[in-house]
């Protein structure tokens, strides 16, 4: 197949290993004097946004950064727990840039762009050096060297971590770099601001319309370039591990103004989350994948077994991941582990009151660590209690905050009782389509981090989200944006009374007025919950053609009902959280429809996209490389009308194969 004429990935010529190095050395530059007159808007201040804003300001650009939180420190990047990948081979276990590249391509089920993934692997080591220099407190070995642990889909230890709060520590490093530039006047930081629309002039993105969430006032902001660093759209499912404020509005508004949306149906289901406890919940809690280093996942071998886990002997336990995938065991990729858990629960082997959970048990490795510690302490013939106490101290040092969080939420002590876990929506591999420069199909409009589609294919490997966000912000966009801005040095700042700004603001005002004047009978949350149920039941862990067709019809009906019967209290010119939610849920409804359309169009299973009609006899994802080895890039035409463009994926350095983790 040939790529659409409307898509130009701009992948450099040359060997895979030399593409980025050569391109970085030959890309157009902007001299320091000219940078001072070029304005860049960064929307979102998580890892991708904060690192990009800080770096571009350090380079001399005039930067304006917006976030809807009261501080960049509240960006959802802070919630990442387990770690960040880098191919430094500190453990001397055979890791390399190529192996990280290969694991990422394979983990994504061969649906990612080779050149982007290899670049990510190349710059991964720089991320660790950068963050150590910023003072990020990565875990260290006794001798002072940085520690590593394993994550799913790999057979090496390449994940750097800071206990179970790696995202928080990395974000504080990026935030410090950002605040330094704010203090120097190089970055204008606008907190509590929501991007409502992008402004295009003569075919190029020239700014945004934003809403001050405290006063409700609409503002116009000009930029020679706009960077969207606004995260993923997992909250389309209502229940997910995302923060409640995480949304798709910025990316969706860009989509409706010409930016193609790539692979919207690729949703990651994380296998280790605290199970749903009732209809009262508004979000789910993640238990880090790092726990699978030392936790063993199992269910009873007997269906409907209601005994306590401590009463079930070893020979009556099914360590099903170790049984099915002996080479990787409990550290198979997330999509594989999630489907395996669902299969066991659907077959009647689930645990807990809901029977929609499996055990994550630390007893075996707690005892193993205890024996090692006993030897180190020169204890001869220690009792089982002494061994377990020593082992608990080791486990506590590695995962203590995660265990505490689990106990606070469930009331159960995971040191004594196995955790109960079940898959939940976590990350979205889809996002705005971008070329090698991270530019969307709208010139001057970029997407970084989870907001773009580029690096993870159909399934993201654990600890790669932080890697991509920081790589894009610190080490990719500072080079690639110069290629575009070098042609914009003669473009003067466009006054925000330009007709394009006036028109865009008027359209936003019209939408706000419409939402406030419907005065229906149903809350915004009620529509969000209904959308989430449709999406989870029919476009979640498993999809089929009949369910997807039904979902599209139901979502279209839900959209009509939303715009005729939603009730949004309050006024426009005030702090109005319900109005904020209404905007976001309206966008989620439209996105949900496109996700189902995309899933229906892709007649194969790959990674997190699992079509029940397309699976191997063993229940694994069955790809169709002859017909679907492409990026699906959707163009918005009109309401419920999208046109598919295909970017052919060419694999010149890797042989396509059925994934095998056994």
């Amino acid at each position: 197949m040939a790529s659409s004429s409307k898509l130009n990935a701009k992948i450099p010529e040359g060997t895979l290993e030399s593409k980025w190095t050569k391109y970085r050395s030959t890309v157009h530059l902007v001299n320091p004097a000219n940078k001072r007159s070029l304005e860049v808007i960064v929307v979102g201040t998580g890892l991708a946004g904060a690192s990009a804003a800080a770096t571009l300001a350090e380079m001399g650009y005039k930067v304006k950064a917006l976030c809807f939180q009261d501080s960049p420190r509240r960006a959802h990047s802070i919630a990442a727990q387990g770690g960040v990948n880098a191919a430094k081979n500190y453990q001397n276990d055979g890791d390399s840039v190529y192996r990280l590249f290969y694991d990422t391509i394979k983990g994504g089920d061969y649906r990612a762009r080779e050149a982007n993934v290899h670049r990510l692997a190349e710059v991964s080591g720089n991320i660790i050096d950068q963050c150590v220099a910023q003072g990020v407190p990565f875990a260290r070995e006794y001798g002072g060297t940085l520690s590593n642990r394993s994550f799913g889909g790999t057979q090496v230890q390449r994940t750097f971590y800071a206990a179970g709060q790696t995202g928080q520590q990395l974000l504080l490093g990026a935030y410090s770099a950002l605040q330094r530039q704010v203090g120097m006047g190089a970055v204008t930081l606008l907190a509590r601001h929501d991007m409502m629309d992008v402004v295009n002039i003569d075919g190029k993105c020239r700014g945004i319309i934003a809403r001050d969430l405290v006063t409700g006032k609409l503002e116009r902001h000009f930029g020679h370039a706009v960077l969207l660093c606004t995260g993923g759209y997992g909250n389309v499912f209502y229940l997910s591990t995302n923060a409640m404020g995480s949304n798709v509005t910025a990316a969706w508004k860009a989509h409706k103004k010409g930016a193609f949306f790539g692979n919207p149906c690729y949703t990651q289901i994380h296998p280790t989350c605290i199970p749903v406890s009732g209809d009262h919940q508004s979000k789910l809690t993640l238990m880090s994948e790092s726990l699978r280093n030392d936790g063993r996942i199992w269910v009873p071998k007997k269906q409907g077994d209601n005994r306590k886990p401590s009463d079930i002997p070893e020979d009556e336990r099914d360590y099903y991941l170790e049984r099915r995938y002996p080479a990787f065991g409990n550290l198979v990729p997330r999509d594989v582990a999630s489907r395996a858990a669902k299969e066991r629960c659907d077959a009647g082997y689930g645990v807990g009151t809901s029977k929609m959970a499996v055990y994550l048990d630390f007893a075996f490795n707690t005892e193993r660590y205890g024996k090692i510690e006993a030897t180190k302490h020169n204890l001869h013939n220690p009792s089982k209690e002494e061994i377990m106490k020593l082992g608990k101290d080791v486990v506590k040092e590695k995962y203590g905050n995660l265990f505490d969080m689990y106990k606070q939420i469930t009331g159960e002590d995971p040191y004594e009782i196995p955790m109960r876990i079940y898959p939940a929506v976590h990350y979205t591999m889809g996002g705005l389509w971008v070329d090698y420069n991270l530019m969307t199909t709208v010139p001057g409009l970029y997407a970084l981090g989870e907001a773009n589609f580029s690096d993870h294919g159909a399934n993201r490997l654990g600890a790669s989200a932080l890697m991509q966000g920081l790589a894009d912000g610190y080490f990719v966009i500072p080079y690639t944006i110069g290629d575009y801005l070098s042609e914009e040095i003669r473009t003067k700042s466009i006054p925000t009374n330009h007709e394009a700004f006036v028109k865009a603001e008027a359209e936003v005002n019209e939408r706000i007025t419409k939402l406030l004047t419907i005065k229906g009978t149903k809350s915004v949350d009620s529509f969000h919950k209904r959308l989430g149920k449709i999406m989870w039941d029919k476009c979640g862990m498993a999809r089929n053609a009949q369910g997807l067709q039904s979902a599209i019809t139901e979502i279209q009906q839900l959209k009509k009902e939303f715009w005729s019967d939603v009730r949004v209290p309050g006024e426009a010119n005030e702090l109005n959280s319900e109005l904020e939610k209404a905007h976001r849920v309206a966008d989620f409804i439209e996105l949900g429809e496109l996700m189902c359309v995309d899933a229906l169009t892709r007649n194969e299973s790959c990674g997190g996209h699992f079509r029940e009609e397309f699976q191997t006899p063993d229940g694994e994802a069955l790809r169709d490389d002859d017909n679907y080895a492409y990026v699906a890039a959707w163009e918005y035409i009109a309401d419920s009308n999208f046109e598919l463009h295909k970017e052919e994926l060419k694999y010149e350095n890797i042989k396509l194969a059925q994934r095998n983790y056994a």
Side-chain angles (χ1 to χ4, degrees):
M1 84 192 67
S3 296
S4 167
S5 59
K6 290 191 176 183
L7 298 174
N8 181 1
K10 298 181 181 178
I11 298 171
E13 297 294 327
T15 64
L16 187 65
E17 295 79 11
S18 66
K19 286 182 189 295
W20 175 237
T21 301
K22 183 176 180 181
Y23 182 74
R24 192 178 56 186
S25 302
T26 58
V27 72
H28 294 152
L29 301 175
V30 180
N31 81 47
N34 286 331
K35 286 175 183 171
R36 291 194 288 268
S37 62
L38 291 170
E39 302 177 48
V40 179
I41 296 174
V42 179
V43 184
T45 54
L47 285 180
S51 60
T55 307
L56 293 175
E58 183 79 35
M59 295 171 69
Y61 294 106
K62 295 169 64 176
V63 178
K64 190 177 289 183
L66 292 82
C67 65
F68 67 76
Q69 302 94 343
D70 58 355
S71 166
R73 289 173 297 175
R74 292 187 183 273
H76 187 56
S77 299
I78 202 171
Q81 298 170 350
V84 54
N85 287 331
K88 279 186 169 289
N89 195 31
Y90 278 5
Q91 303 298 318
N92 196 29
D93 55 2
D95 202 8
S96 65
V97 167
Y98 182 85
R99 196 176 293 277
L100 174 54
F101 157 73
Y102 177 80
D103 286 345
T104 305
I105 290 284
K106 179 183 177 182
D109 218 350
Y110 303 93
R111 289 293 178 262
R113 190 190 286 157
E114 270 195 343
N116 285 66
V117 177
H118 196 275
R119 177 176 64 187
L120 178 65
E122 286 181 69
V123 305
S124 64
N126 297 337
I127 294 170
I128 306 305
D129 297 338
Q130 171 83 7
C131 295
V132 168
Q134 290 174 336
V136 173
F138 286 120
R140 294 180 180 269
E141 302 291 352
Y142 180 76
T145 57
L146 296 182
S147 183
N148 291 118
R149 55 190 177 198
S150 296
F151 263 62
T154 72
Q155 291 181 305
V156 298
Q157 291 179 279
R158 66 163 66 102
T159 304
F160 296 78
Y161 62 98
Q165 49 186 251
T166 313
Q168 180 185 43
Q169 299 303 326
L170 292 175
L171 184 61
L172 288 173
Y175 170 74
S176 298
L178 173 62
Q179 285 299 118
R180 177 174 181 269
Q181 297 302 319
V182 172
M184 295 172 65
V187 173
T188 300
L189 179 62
L190 299 173
R192 303 296 285 137
H193 278 67
D194 217 357
M195 193 198 98
M196 306 302 292
D197 209 348
V198 297
V199 179
N200 297 336
I201 300 175
D202 297 329
K204 295 182 178 180
C205 182
R206 294 301 191 190
I208 65 170
I209 304 297
R211 181 171 179 266
D212 183 326
L213 296 178
V214 177
T215 67
K217 179 184 177 182
L218 294 181
E219 301 175 359
R220 308 168 190 173
H221 299 279
F222 164 79
H224 290 89
V226 174
L227 278 55
L228 301 184
C229 311
T230 49
Y233 48 89
N235 275 353
V236 69
F237 292 89
Y238 186 70
L239 283 179
S240 80
T241 66
N242 289 268
M244 286 295 291
S246 298
N247 63 87
V248 76
T249 288
W252 193 250
K253 298 309 184 192
H255 174 56
K256 296 179 80 169
K257 286 294 183 71
F260 292 5
F261 212 105
N263 298 331
C265 78
Y266 287 167
T267 305
Q268 179 165 86
I269 312 296
H270 198 295
T272 51
C273 300
I274 297 179
V276 177
S277 61
D279 293 338
H280 63 283
Q281 284 185 268
S282 57
K283 80 175 297 292
L284 299 174
T285 302
L286 172 70
M287 288 285 102
S288 171
E289 182 173 314
S290 63
L291 295 172
R292 290 197 273 150
N293 274 274
D294 291 314
R296 301 176 71 196
I297 295 174
W298 64 276
V299 293
K301 289 183 178 179
K302 177 184 175 184
Q303 289 180 322
D305 195 329
N306 293 318
R307 288 178 292 175
K308 296 178 181 178
S310 58
D311 294 336
I312 302 176
E314 277 291 314
D315 61 355
E316 295 182 33
R317 300 180 180 188
D318 179 15
Y319 295 91
Y320 58 88
L321 291 179
E322 298 172 28
R323 168 173 56 82
R324 292 181 60 179
Y325 311 102
F328 285 74
N330 294 294
L331 285 169
V332 291
R334 292 175 177 179
D335 62 316
V336 176
S338 293
R339 281 195 296 274
K342 182 178 186 298
E343 184 275 329
R344 288 290 80 192
C345 291
D346 289 348
Y349 297 94
V351 302
T353 54
S354 69
K355 298 300 181 183
M356 296 303 287
V358 298
Y359 288 127
L360 180 61
D361 193 340
F362 292 84
F364 178 85
N365 281 303
T366 299
E367 184 175 356
R368 180 175 66 86
Y369 284 130
K371 290 178 179 178
I372 294 172
E373 289 299 301
T375 301
K376 288 162 60 176
H377 288 81
N378 201 28
L379 296 178
H380 301 290
N381 300 316
S383 66
K384 179 71 175 287
E385 290 74 18
E386 290 176 313
I387 289 173
M388 296 304 287
K389 182 181 184 303
L390 290 169
K392 177 180 176 181
D393 292 340
V394 176
V395 171
K396 187 173 185 178
E397 184 177 350
K398 298 176 73 168
Y399 311 112
N401 66 310
L402 298 172
F403 277 52
D404 291 344
M405 183 167 63
Y406 181 89
K407 184 176 181 179
Q408 288 173 356
I409 292 171
T410 66
E412 298 176 356
D413 185 354
Y415 293 107
E416 306 296 333
I417 305 170
M419 290 184 181
R420 286 175 291 107
I421 57 169
Y422 193 72
V425 172
H426 179 56
Y427 188 91
T428 49
M429 285 72 66
L432 293 177
W433 184 91
V434 294
D435 62 18
Y436 191 73
N437 292 332
L438 305 184
M439 188 188 289
T440 69
T441 47
V442 177
L445 180 64
Y446 294 80
L448 282 64
E450 192 180 357
N452 73 36
F453 87 99
S454 66
D455 291 359
H456 307 298
N459 174 64
R460 175 176 69 81
L461 290 184
S464 287
L466 305 185
M467 176 173 63
Q468 186 207 350
L470 292 175
D472 286 355
Y474 281 135
F475 301 112
V476 177
I477 198 66
Y479 290 99
T480 61
I481 199 171
D483 193 55
Y484 174 76
L485 292 179
S486 64
E487 302 295 325
E488 297 297 319
I489 58 177
R490 295 178 180 84
T491 302
K492 304 298 181 184
S493 295
I494 299 174
T496 55
N497 60 3
H498 186 283
E499 60 180 347
F501 280 94
V502 174
K503 180 182 178 183
E505 183 180 328
E507 290 172 350
V508 173
N509 251 324
E510 181 182 355
R511 181 180 171 96
I512 290 173
T513 301
K514 186 175 181 180
L515 284 168
L516 290 171
T517 54
I518 294 171
K519 298 191 181 301
T521 63
K522 297 182 176 67
S523 69
V524 175
D525 278 339
S526 70
F527 285 99
H528 197 177
K529 287 182 180 180
R530 288 166 60 189
L531 173 66
K533 181 169 176 52
I534 295 170
M535 295 299 297
W536 178 250
D537 289 346
K538 298 176 179 178
C539 194
M541 287 182 69
R543 304 106 184 251
N544 59 59
Q546 181 180 357
L548 290 166
Q549 289 165 345
S550 172
I552 292 169
T553 301
E554 291 178 49
I555 292 171
Q556 290 174 347
Q557 180 57 42
L558 186 69
K559 179 164 54 178
K560 291 179 183 177
E561 190 177 338
F562 176 89
W563 285 103
S564 63
D565 199 25
V566 70
R567 181 171 183 80
V568 182
E571 303 295 333
N573 297 318
E574 64 180 6
L575 177 64
N576 189 337
S577 59
E578 286 300 303
L579 180 59
E580 293 174 41
K581 283 196 289 185
H583 283 293
R584 295 166 183 173
V585 171
D587 294 330
F588 276 137
I589 291 172
E590 294 182 3
L591 167 69
E593 181 180 357
L594 178 58
M595 291 173 67
C596 294
V597 169
D598 186 39
L600 184 61
T601 305
R602 188 172 286 277
N603 292 320
E604 66 164 354
S605 291
C606 55
H609 168 64
F610 191 76
R611 284 282 297 272
E612 293 173 337
E613 307 96 317
F614 308 102
Q615 55 182 299
T616 68
D618 295 329
E620 305 292 350
L622 182 62
R623 297 196 321 270
D624 180 352
D625 296 328
D626 291 335
N627 296 302
Y628 295 98
Y630 63 75
V631 177
W634 293 90
E635 178 182 9
Y636 179 84
I637 305 298
D639 188 35
S640 296
N641 185 1
F642 309 93
E643 181 179 348
L644 174 61
H645 301 274
K646 300 176 182 179
E647 178 200 338
E648 181 183 3
L649 291 171
K650 298 179 181 179
Y651 293 96
E652 300 172 354
N653 299 272
I654 283 181
K655 181 181 178 182
L656 292 171
Q658 176 70 29
R659 282 193 304 170
N660 182 7
Y661 292 99

